[in-house]
Amino acid sequence: MTVAETVLDAVAAAYADEPALVERLLLDLADTAGHADHMRHYPAATDYGRECAGAAYDAAREDLLAVLALPADLEGSAP
């Protein structure tokens, strides 16, 4: 089974039990990923701002993986 199949199966199972929670966590992850990407490319961003945005993304990812009962070291890269 691929990582993608594992994640999709976990999302489907968690969504069946807690649809509002899974939806919120997915939206949080998408939002923090977009912000981290923006901060990485925004010329006026400070190193502190970039670090905070990256940390927020990492936290959102870990929250989602915890609900999905997936390991935090699941293959994948940060935005």
Side-chain angles (χ1 to χ4, degrees):
M1 181 175 282
T2 67
V3 172
E5 290 170 328
T6 300
V7 171
L8 289 173
D9 287 346
V11 169
Y15 190 82
D17 293 335
E18 296 282 341
L21 175 63
V22 173
E23 181 178 348
R24 182 183 61 76
L25 291 171
L26 287 169
L27 291 172
D28 285 349
L29 183 63
D31 184 49
T32 59
H35 183 64
D37 185 59
H38 167 74
M39 292 298 284
R40 194 170 43 255
H41 296 99
Y42 183 59
T46 62
D47 288 341
Y48 176 75
R50 289 182 182 102
E51 289 173 15
C52 287
Y57 169 80
D58 290 342
R61 183 177 184 274
E62 289 173 10
D63 289 348
L64 179 60
L65 290 174
V67 167
L68 300 181
L70 293 170
D73 63 350
L74 189 67
E75 287 183 23
S77 60

